[in-house]
Amino acid sequence: MTSRGSSGFHSSIRGADPTDTRPTGGWRAMVLLVAVMALIIATLDVATPADFQARALLGLVPIVVALLAPVSVTAVVTGMLICVYVGLQAVAPLPTSGSWDLLGPLMIGTGGLLGVLIARRREEQRARVQALTDIAEATQRAVMRGLPERFEDLRIADFYQPAARAARVGGDWYDFQPSPHGVRAVLGDVSGKGLPAVSASAWLLGAFREAAYHEERIEEVARRLEIAMQRYSAWTRITHDEGLTDAFSTGLLLHFPPTDPECVDIVNFGHEPPLVVTADGRVHTPDLPAGLPLGMGTLGAAAPTVARLPFGVGDTLILFTDGVTECRDADGTFYPVRERLPRLVSPRGAQESPEALLGRLAEDLRAHRYGPPSDDAAITLLRRTAERAGYENEADAELYEYRHKEPDDTADTAVQGAATQYATDMRFLECASRSISSTKASA
């Protein structure tokens, strides 16, 4: 199994290394800046009357340098400027050179001291920003982990653009989970924005990773996601935490049955239906029954229907969130992904890599968008291939390979049902007299 990350069209926020001593723009730009400023001041000093002491303006150069360079560079430039001043005094001494022999270097030194303080303050702020960036990236890796580029007979490519440029996570969530019962994938969009939406998506992703691996039936995975969404809302009400007390999420849950490699099972939780690109390049929208979004199961509606679609070699599934369809141009027109995609698909169809198709779709989306993104946007491509990627070792194969099990008709049905409900007990919600401490243990 290939463990390298998928296409990774994430917008990077990685800052510069806080230990890097290179000036902003590079050494060449810094040397050129200092040389030009010093040359202009020296020329002005020589060309103007003696009573106009322009060489004192050299004290401003370290302050300008401090805006671009670290402390050490600012200090070195200050020392060099003092040498330039002394040289100018030797070549063209001022009429009042006795006082300016000390006052001039003192002014440059004062400018250099201010420059050093400015550079130090800037470096401290840069280090704090870098620390926050590292935390954001650690959160991103924990919540939105990287996906493999290949797994068994599937190729994967993903795109994620948070609405907040300084963030790496948002209310859109997606993942890919192999299991002994077949490969599962999910993509969804939590209501709301900001940290509460991130928290809700983390709950759903955690529930999906466990349920998708352990549960044999996709209906049970769907049920576990519904309970996870309800538990999140209940927990925010119990703890009075900053969150979405009535959160819900649309989503698509996919199951690739190993016993039928020409099909895919899809559960639609009130989400935009996916697009299918066939092996010969045709694009169509499958007819999927839509259920209620996750978190609305308490309304008493029937469980979402599992729909089985043909999905053969060379076919591609494109899942996306409403950050794609609701992306607006300068005129306020939504991005028509279902009309634009056929023009982006190569006539070669399955011969084109999913990464290339996703790259064109992402660039077309950016070209359509006017201004910064107003909502998180996520796209996942899944392509069925004729080749199957192997595993690195036998232990990995033992974890993920499909293992056919004959049904045990003698097993106790009640025991079998209970075995599928671990970690989904919501009895604390039915017992209002229980204490907060006990509900924490249950959740």
Side-chain angles (χ1 to χ4, degrees):
M1 178 181 65
T2 305
S3 59
R4 182 164 60 89
S6 60
S7 59
F9 285 90
H10 301 278
S11 56
S12 177
I13 59 170
R14 170 66 66 180
D17 185 355
T19 62
D20 191 357
T21 59
R22 291 178 298 175
T24 302
W27 286 108
R28 291 183 179 179
M30 178 55 60
V31 171
L32 182 62
L33 174 65
V34 174
V36 169
M37 291 185 67
L39 180 61
I40 291 175
I41 293 174
T43 303
L44 186 63
D45 185 79
V46 173
T48 54
D51 57 349
F52 185 75
Q53 298 157 355
R55 64 188 64 176
L57 296 175
L58 290 172
L60 299 176
V61 178
I63 298 177
V64 176
V65 170
L67 300 176
L68 304 174
V71 172
S72 58
V73 175
T74 306
V76 169
V77 169
T78 302
M80 295 173 59
L81 291 173
I82 293 176
C83 295
V84 171
Y85 183 89
V86 172
L88 287 174
Q89 284 290 86
V91 173
L94 296 173
T96 56
S97 59
S99 60
W100 279 93
D101 285 344
L102 294 178
L103 186 58
L106 181 61
M107 293 178 64
I108 297 175
T110 301
L113 178 60
L114 290 174
V116 166
L117 294 177
I118 292 172
R120 181 177 179 182
R121 179 66 174 172
R122 188 174 61 83
E123 288 183 350
E124 290 174 350
Q125 292 178 342
R126 178 175 162 181
R128 284 196 292 269
V129 171
Q130 184 63 44
L132 293 175
T133 298
D134 292 340
I135 293 172
E137 292 206 343
T139 303
Q140 188 269 340
R141 287 191 295 270
V143 178
M144 296 288 289
R145 61 184 180 181
L147 303 184
E149 186 181 66
R150 290 177 176 271
F151 187 85
E152 294 185 350
D153 62 345
L154 293 175
R155 289 192 64 177
I156 309 164
D158 65 294
F159 166 86
Y160 188 49
Q161 172 64 71
R165 289 299 184 94
R168 293 294 298 272
V169 291
D172 290 359
W173 53 287
Y174 61 91
D175 207 351
F176 175 90
Q177 182 62 58
S179 80
H181 315 294
V183 174
R184 278 77 187 262
V186 71
L187 179 140
D189 184 4
V190 174
S191 60
K193 299 181 183 297
L195 291 178
V198 175
S199 177
S201 63
W203 276 65
L204 288 168
L205 285 168
F208 168 75
R209 289 163 187 167
E210 288 302 305
Y213 180 82
H214 290 286
E215 302 292 355
E216 182 175 0
R217 300 176 65 247
I218 194 63
E219 293 87 349
E220 186 62 26
V221 179
R223 190 185 73 87
R224 292 276 300 278
L225 289 175
E226 170 63 30
I227 292 177
M229 191 79 273
Q230 293 184 29
R231 289 178 63 192
Y232 167 79
S233 297
W235 185 249
T236 57
R237 291 191 292 268
I238 291 169
T239 59
H240 303 288
D241 194 9
E242 180 183 356
L244 305 171
T245 55
D246 293 302
F248 66 89
S249 175
T250 63
L252 293 171
L253 175 62
L254 281 66
H255 169 64
F256 298 89
T259 56
D260 194 348
E262 295 293 322
C263 293
V264 58
D265 294 335
I266 302 181
V267 180
N268 185 357
F269 300 102
H271 195 80
E272 283 272 359
L275 283 165
V276 178
V277 182
T278 60
D280 57 3
R282 292 180 293 109
V283 180
H284 70 276
T285 301
D287 185 16
L288 292 179
L292 289 176
L294 293 167
M296 294 186 174
T298 54
L299 298 179
T305 304
V306 179
R308 174 158 291 193
L309 303 177
F311 188 65
V313 173
D315 292 345
T316 304
L317 272 170
I318 303 179
L319 320 178
F320 49 89
T321 60
D322 60 6
V324 175
T325 56
E326 296 179 5
C327 175
R328 297 175 183 263
D329 62 9
D331 298 327
T333 304
F334 290 127
Y335 180 70
V337 62
R338 301 187 188 279
E339 291 75 23
R340 296 284 280 270
L341 186 63
R343 286 180 271 174
L344 300 174
V345 175
S346 169
R348 295 177 298 173
Q351 299 178 19
E352 180 186 41
S353 69
E355 293 81 4
L357 175 57
L358 180 59
R360 284 202 302 276
L361 179 57
E363 288 302 322
D364 193 57
L365 180 66
R366 292 190 184 106
H368 178 86
R369 186 181 67 230
Y370 177 76
S374 59
D375 195 7
D376 305 327
I379 307 173
T380 302
L381 269 68
L382 300 167
R383 163 84 51 85
R384 177 93 72 182
T385 63
E387 304 81 16
R388 296 181 66 88
Y391 293 88
E392 297 291 340
N393 52 58
E394 291 297 328
D396 292 348
E398 181 67 20
L399 278 173
Y400 293 123
E401 273 191 337
Y402 169 69
R403 296 186 293 275
H404 177 70
K405 294 183 295 183
E406 295 294 339
D408 186 1
D409 297 333
T410 62
D412 189 343
T413 304
V415 173
Q416 287 182 344
T420 65
Q421 297 182 17
Y422 67 95
T424 61
D425 193 353
M426 293 185 64
R427 286 173 294 173
F428 74 94
L429 297 178
E430 302 170 1
C431 186
S433 63
R434 297 183 66 178
S435 66
I436 295 297
S437 60
S438 64
T439 58
K440 288 182 179 180
S442 298

